[in-house]
Amino acid sequence: MSLPGPFLTRLREIFPAGSLFTDPADCWVYGYDNSKRQVLPDAVVFPTAHEQALALVRLCNEYRVPLTARGRGTGTTGATVPLRAGVVASFERMHRVLEFSPDNRYIVVEPGITNQAVQDHIKPHGFFWPPDPTSAAFCSVGGNLAYNSAGPRAVKYGTPRENALGLRAITGAGEELRTGVYTTKGVVGYDLTRLLIGSEGTLALITEATLKLTPLPETKRTLRAVYVDVNAAARAIARIMAQPAVPCALEFIDGNAINLVRRYSTAGLPEGAGALLMIEVDGFAAAMPPQIESIRAAAENEGLLEFSVAETAEAVEALWQTRKALSPTLRKAAPKKINEDVVVPVTELPALIAGLDELSKRYELPIVNFGHAGNGNIHVNLLYDPNKPGEDDKAHACLDEMFSLVLALRGTLSGEHGVGLAKRDYVDRELDANALSLMHAIKRQFDPNGILNWGKGFPEENSRVHSA
Amino acid sequence: MSLPGPFLTRLREIFPAGSLFTDPADCWVYGYDNSKRQVLPDAVVFPTAHEQALALVRLCNEYRVPLTARGRGTGTTGATVPLRAGVVASFERMHRVLEFSPDNRYIVVEPGITNQAVQDHIKPHGFFWPPDPTSAAFCSVGGNLAYNSAGPRAVKYGTPRENALGLRAITGAGEELRTGVYTTKGVVGYDLTRLLIGSEGTLALITEATLKLTPLPETKRTLRAVYVDVNAAARAIARIMAQPAVPCALEFIDGNAINLVRRYSTAGLPEGAGALLMIEVDGFAAAMPPQIESIRAAAENEGLLEFSVAETAEAVEALWQTRKALSPTLRKAAPKKINEDVVVPVTELPALIAGLDELSKRYELPIVNFGHAGNGNIHVNLLYDPNKPGEDDKAHACLDEMFSLVLALRGTLSGEHGVGLAKRDYVDRELDANALSLMHAIKRQFDPNGILNWGKGFPEENSRVHSA
């Protein structure tokens, strides 16, 4: 235990029994996330109100105790792992709906509410909130906002930055603030709302969010297009995104992934399938035929092997079979995978896949790719066995080259997972040096003592701030 | 002429003859905008390249000379009026398309290009850029970004913040930077792109912008709904925005505006019309009937007098007649108008209009309202005669109360015009004090000597910075 006694006494005044853990056995599970990284925090607290979180930040700031906000631990980059121990603030008990205005299309929620609970609350009124990470059933809205996490629907409906109106937050300096508006337009002052969204808990703790809601479409259709290779699929992706029937999902699976599924499962795919697109369109039922026709025309090229439209629920299930078989198959194929979420312009997808194939051969490591093709956002899965000598180093050397490839193709290192620990040492390869230095300066303003989420995003600067 | 000699010598090295004005007769027209405010700048320069703009900012920074960026002067808030004279940088000659990638749905442009020129460039390829201020034919993209200006289409397609991917810019400290990505997703680092968008030229000069493009819809239909009063219209607006046929325009005209048009023109409206909605929907032709039906159902209530769908170009013209007659009518009705662009949550529109009617009676000044109802963004037009003694003071006292009303209704002072000079003294009524102080700190970081667009947005802080 390294927390000062007077600090602990005052922490206990803010967080009564049951809302404060200091026993390592209790704290243990709050020190990891889905990246499998782990650091044991000195204490874990469970705020249930803004004022409590405010008192917490002020206390940590006074004693310079590291403070890490945590949603539900579904992140994959280690962003909530408390590198320097200190206090973890788990927002899981702060999950109320504070206000729901269907007529103004917004809902005000606390950060610990799950994405699914928001959807459940608003669906009976005919609305949804577009961000849909795979972990939607468990992940918190606070986490979605902290990492600007999205999912397949982003291709039509955007990410949290396009679907949040305002925030209530507490800076690392212990100052509370409100950002944004209750309306879908507003241009007074600088855009602090979007500055906080995606800042990974390094600038402020979010204690309240006003989310912009979207009316549910009447219906949805699922289509599948199978291609001989990734080049043909990439041409189709560009054409699909240039026609007016914007899909609400445009998912890609590469040839390696198809072969892997074939090995362990029945893929139900034509011979010679080298790439696969899963496409969904939504809207009015009467609009389905022209939308499907427009997408079919865009999907058509000399490399198209098969184009299917699911007419029944069973047919939808059958079309998704390959995609759904992928994750369990990946677990069978290798003891460990590094799952990245790089993004490249759509026209660079063939070069990305070709480059990854070359790396796969050279490093003798299987690489399997799938993801949100409409955004050029590809989940690159590097499969390896960490128990084999040297394999872990090899995988990380390969990863390093992969990031260089992505940047050479004008891409970005992350489309939805964020930086966290996993990519913090690569950030300065992507970001402009002056932009990075302005980000450091903004960090210092919001969190002058560097107490918030130490070591994430910009490690060198963070440590400099902290030791200052 | 108050510019130091050595400064002018070096300015002439950067800007050769023809790209630098110092004669007051030449400079005169670059000191005003559509707010009719004017201050004569000491010099006007016309950059044609990023490097030239960079040299300019560095020189101004070295000599602490105020520098104001200017697009085409169509702004209505005085935001480009050079309050402390100095240098105006007019970007009108820096208007190239640097790159257009239809397959990746982006275009990279210089800031001086007009909104219309962008639309003309991309339309043949089946795209449009959603922001559509009324001044689209003349206004620059740099100006659209600086003020986050949008128009009717924002209700479906968003503002510049939702339609820009990245920027190249020069901070007030003379540092060049690139922000954002070339893709529609990207979560590495803080969101400096959206921080610069809407910052009104107070943080940095934008020298390049990567705009996200949207495929043109197949067709569009125009509808009109006439109501007995604003309450009925507001109920319809909330219901229209809650159904899945999101309109691409949802414009509102209040009873005072209708009466005014009736006085000066033929309105072609039923008796008892107390509010009017102009609605447009776009998409596939086959999707028009269900969209129109869904909107008709939402628009229906006991206060609906008439619902029309235009089937021909002439019918579209006829439906827009009242709206189009409004602007010339306003000019006939009063020598001067204050045109605000406040926003309130849709459910508060009746309270806003009722409050404005009360102010209109009490101050004995006509107030006429219309605007982008789907966003709750209302253009409030205060009509008066500045030549009548005391009338100007009265109008501004009324304006002051109007802003209080908007804020009491949880609204914002500006939805698309921005702050500029016109609203800078009201900003601290809307913005949270801690948020405002963080904005000041961000301003100091980007522009430590306070040279950029002095006195705009946050006047007190700006002057403090400048005199420091």
Side-chain angles (χ1 to χ4, degrees):
Chain A
M1 178 65 61
S2 68
L3 295 175
F7 173 85
L8 261 177
T9 304
R10 285 178 55 192
L11 193 64
R12 287 203 177 92
E13 286 163 18
I14 304 170
F15 293 95
S19 64
L20 167 65
F21 292 166
T22 52
D23 184 331
D26 292 329
C27 292
W28 184 246
V29 294
Y30 291 91
Y32 79 95
D33 72 1
N34 198 24
S35 73
K36 318 293 187 224
R37 288 170 176 85
Q38 171 133 19
V39 171
L40 179 69
D42 297 310
V44 179
V45 296
F46 300 87
T48 53
H50 170 84
E51 291 66 26
Q52 216 179 3
L54 181 63
L56 170 68
V57 179
R58 288 182 173 168
L59 182 65
C60 288
N61 199 40
E62 189 182 330
Y63 284 84
R64 308 290 192 262
V65 169
L67 175 60
T68 304
R70 189 179 198 272
R72 301 279 171 141
T74 57
T76 61
T77 63
T80 58
V81 173
L83 276 190
R84 289 204 160 174
V87 176
V88 163
S90 171
F91 279 92
E92 67 193 274
R93 298 184 194 170
M94 190 163 159
H95 54 66
R96 288 176 301 169
V97 170
L98 300 175
E99 187 189 348
F100 173 36
S101 177
D103 283 348
N104 293 311
R105 288 178 303 134
Y106 67 71
I107 189 168
V108 185
V109 297
E110 291 181 332
I113 193 168
T114 63
N115 183 300
Q116 189 62 52
V118 170
Q119 312 293 355
D120 292 345
H121 195 94
I122 61 184
K123 193 178 176 181
H125 300 264
F127 293 102
F128 70 108
W129 189 53
D132 58 340
T134 314
S135 54
F138 329 105
C139 64
S140 70
V141 166
N144 297 169
L145 295 169
Y147 305 99
N148 197 37
S149 308
R153 282 198 297 235
V155 69
K156 180 168 182 176
Y157 295 105
T159 68
R161 281 196 180 118
E162 286 82 34
N163 291 284
L165 300 175
L167 301 172
R168 192 177 190 195
I170 303 162
T171 68
E175 287 169 328
E176 51 186 339
L177 71 151
R178 286 185 184 274
T179 72
V181 285
Y182 288 94
T183 55
T184 48
K185 264 175 157 181
V187 292
V188 173
Y190 301 152
D191 191 347
L192 299 186
T193 305
R194 287 169 183 86
L195 186 64
L196 292 186
I197 295 176
S199 68
E200 305 197 351
T202 61
L203 298 179
L205 302 191
I206 295 170
T207 59
E208 197 180 304
T210 304
L211 309 178
K212 178 186 162 191
L213 308 180
T214 300
L216 282 163
E218 189 180 274
T219 190
K220 188 168 82 172
R221 286 284 185 287
T222 302
L223 325 173
R224 190 180 71 184
V226 185
Y227 294 89
V228 290
D229 58 24
V230 65
N231 295 288
R235 283 199 305 280
I237 295 166
R239 287 194 61 211
I240 290 169
M241 292 305 297
Q243 53 77 51
V246 180
C248 62
L250 178 46
E251 300 292 293
F252 164 82
I253 298 173
D254 82 346
N256 294 339
I258 291 171
N259 290 335
L260 202 65
V261 172
R262 274 196 207 283
R263 245 196 289 162
Y264 293 94
S265 160
T266 52
L269 290 177
E271 274 308 302
L276 175 65
L277 297 182
M278 295 298 307
I279 310 156
E280 291 192 331
V281 286
D282 62 10
F284 285 94
M288 291 299 107
Q291 288 208 58
I292 292 168
E293 199 33 55
S294 185
I295 285 178
R296 188 200 299 269
E300 183 73 51
N301 63 38
E302 66 289 358
L304 179 68
L305 286 174
E306 188 188 287
F307 186 88
S308 326
V309 182
E311 303 288 354
T312 64
E314 292 74 35
V316 170
E317 204 56 38
L319 289 191
W320 277 107
Q321 189 190 337
T322 304
R323 174 65 188 83
K324 290 202 170 150
L326 245 181
S327 293
T329 299
L330 285 173
R331 277 196 289 275
K332 282 184 217 163
K336 184 148 183 180
K337 61 169 180 169
I338 298 177
N339 170 14
E340 291 301 335
D341 67 316
V342 300
V343 194
V344 294
V346 166
T347 53
E348 303 292 1
L349 281 175
L352 174 68
I353 304 294
L356 291 171
D357 279 349
E358 189 274 322
L359 288 176
S360 171
K361 287 197 187 89
R362 183 146 50 84
Y363 282 95
E364 297 175 322
L365 293 171
I367 300 182
V368 171
N369 307 295
F370 59 93
H372 317 306
N375 298 111
N377 186 191
I378 301 300
H379 290 291
V380 176
N381 290 269
L382 231 151
L383 307 178
Y384 69 104
D385 184 350
N387 300 317
K388 273 198 208 165
E391 191 99 331
D392 198 85
D393 287 351
K394 208 166 74 169
H396 282 88
C398 179
L399 187 69
D400 193 284
E401 283 205 56
M402 187 188 97
F403 286 151
S404 298
L405 171 66
V406 167
L407 295 175
L409 297 173
R410 272 183 151 184
T412 172
L413 300 182
S414 178
E416 51 190 31
H417 293 174
V419 173
L421 282 174
K423 296 187 199 178
R424 64 172 187 178
D425 298 328
Y426 301 100
V427 159
D428 57 358
R429 287 205 215 161
E430 171 170 343
L431 296 176
D432 177 279
N434 288 331
L436 190 57
S437 130
L438 284 164
M439 290 176 197
H440 287 325
I442 290 171
K443 163 74 176 170
R444 281 195 297 272
Q445 254 169 32
F446 278 75
D447 184 21
N449 297 309
I451 61 165
L452 290 186
N453 212 2
W454 186 88
K456 311 301 167 50
F458 320 112
E460 290 159 52
E461 181 66 14
N462 251 1
S463 48
R464 204 184 70 67
V465 168
H466 189 79
S467 58
Chain B
M1 176 66 58
S2 67
L3 295 175
F7 172 86
L8 260 177
T9 304
R10 287 178 55 192
L11 193 65
R12 285 201 179 93
E13 286 162 20
I14 304 170
F15 292 94
S19 64
L20 167 66
F21 292 166
T22 52
D23 184 330
D26 292 328
C27 293
W28 184 245
V29 294
Y30 291 91
Y32 78 95
D33 71 1
N34 198 24
S35 73
K36 318 292 187 227
R37 288 170 176 84
Q38 171 134 20
V39 172
L40 179 69
D42 297 310
V44 179
V45 296
F46 300 87
T48 53
H50 170 85
E51 291 66 27
Q52 215 179 5
L54 180 63
L56 169 69
V57 180
R58 289 181 173 168
L59 182 66
C60 288
N61 199 40
E62 189 183 329
Y63 284 84
R64 308 290 192 263
V65 169
L67 174 60
T68 303
R70 188 177 198 274
R72 302 279 173 141
T74 57
T76 61
T77 64
T80 58
V81 173
L83 276 190
R84 289 203 161 175
V87 177
V88 163
S90 172
F91 280 92
E92 68 194 271
R93 298 185 194 170
M94 190 165 161
H95 54 63
R96 288 175 302 168
V97 171
L98 299 176
E99 186 189 349
F100 173 36
S101 176
D103 283 347
N104 293 311
R105 289 178 303 133
Y106 67 70
I107 189 168
V108 185
V109 297
E110 291 180 332
I113 192 169
T114 63
N115 183 301
Q116 190 62 52
V118 169
Q119 312 293 355
D120 291 345
H121 196 93
I122 61 184
K123 192 177 177 183
H125 300 264
F127 293 102
F128 70 106
W129 189 53
D132 58 340
T134 314
S135 54
F138 329 104
C139 64
S140 71
V141 166
N144 297 170
L145 295 169
Y147 306 99
N148 197 37
S149 308
R153 283 199 296 237
V155 70
K156 180 169 183 176
Y157 295 104
T159 68
R161 281 196 179 117
E162 287 81 35
N163 291 284
L165 300 176
L167 301 172
R168 192 178 190 196
I170 303 162
T171 68
E175 288 169 328
E176 49 185 340
L177 72 153
R178 286 185 184 274
T179 73
V181 286
Y182 288 95
T183 55
T184 49
K185 264 177 158 180
V187 291
V188 173
Y190 301 151
D191 190 347
L192 299 185
T193 305
R194 287 170 183 87
L195 185 65
L196 292 186
I197 295 175
S199 68
E200 306 197 351
T202 61
L203 298 179
L205 302 191
I206 295 170
T207 58
E208 196 179 305
T210 305
L211 309 178
K212 178 186 163 193
L213 308 180
T214 300
L216 282 164
E218 189 180 274
T219 190
K220 190 168 82 174
R221 287 283 186 288
T222 302
L223 325 173
R224 189 180 73 183
V226 185
Y227 294 89
V228 290
D229 59 26
V230 65
N231 295 288
R235 283 200 304 280
I237 294 165
R239 286 195 61 211
I240 289 169
M241 292 306 295
Q243 54 76 51
V246 180
C248 62
L250 177 46
E251 300 292 294
F252 164 81
I253 297 173
D254 83 345
N256 294 340
I258 291 172
N259 291 336
L260 200 65
V261 172
R262 274 195 207 283
R263 244 196 290 161
Y264 292 96
S265 161
T266 52
L269 289 177
E271 273 309 303
L276 175 63
L277 297 181
M278 294 297 307
I279 310 156
E280 291 193 329
V281 286
D282 62 10
F284 286 95
M288 291 300 107
Q291 288 207 58
I292 291 169
E293 198 34 54
S294 185
I295 285 177
R296 188 200 299 268
E300 183 73 51
N301 63 39
E302 66 287 359
L304 179 69
L305 285 174
E306 188 188 287
F307 186 89
S308 327
V309 183
E311 303 288 352
T312 63
E314 293 74 37
V316 170
E317 205 55 40
L319 289 191
W320 277 109
Q321 188 189 337
T322 303
R323 173 65 187 83
K324 291 202 170 150
L326 244 181
S327 292
T329 299
L330 286 174
R331 277 195 291 274
K332 281 182 217 162
K336 183 147 183 181
K337 61 169 177 166
I338 298 177
N339 170 15
E340 290 302 333
D341 67 318
V342 299
V343 194
V344 294
V346 166
T347 53
E348 303 292 0
L349 281 175
L352 174 69
I353 303 296
L356 292 170
D357 279 349
E358 189 274 323
L359 288 176
S360 170
K361 286 196 188 92
R362 184 146 48 86
Y363 282 95
E364 297 175 323
L365 293 171
I367 300 182
V368 170
N369 308 295
F370 59 93
H372 318 305
N375 299 111
N377 188 190
I378 301 299
H379 291 291
V380 176
N381 291 270
L382 231 152
L383 308 177
Y384 68 103
D385 183 349
N387 301 317
K388 272 197 207 165
E391 191 98 332
D392 198 83
D393 287 349
K394 207 166 75 169
H396 282 89
C398 179
L399 186 69
D400 192 287
E401 285 206 55
M402 187 189 97
F403 286 152
S404 298
L405 170 66
V406 166
L407 294 176
L409 297 173
R410 273 183 149 184
T412 173
L413 301 182
S414 178
E416 51 190 30
H417 293 175
V419 174
L421 282 174
K423 296 186 199 179
R424 64 172 187 178
D425 297 328
Y426 301 100
V427 159
D428 57 358
R429 286 204 216 163
E430 171 170 343
L431 296 176
D432 177 279
N434 287 331
L436 190 58
S437 129
L438 284 164
M439 291 176 196
H440 287 325
I442 290 171
K443 163 74 176 170
R444 281 195 298 272
Q445 255 168 30
F446 278 75
D447 184 21
N449 296 309
I451 61 166
L452 291 186
N453 211 2
W454 186 88
K456 312 297 168 56
F458 320 111
E460 291 160 53
E461 181 67 13
N462 251 0
S463 47
R464 203 185 70 68
V465 168
H466 190 79
S467 58

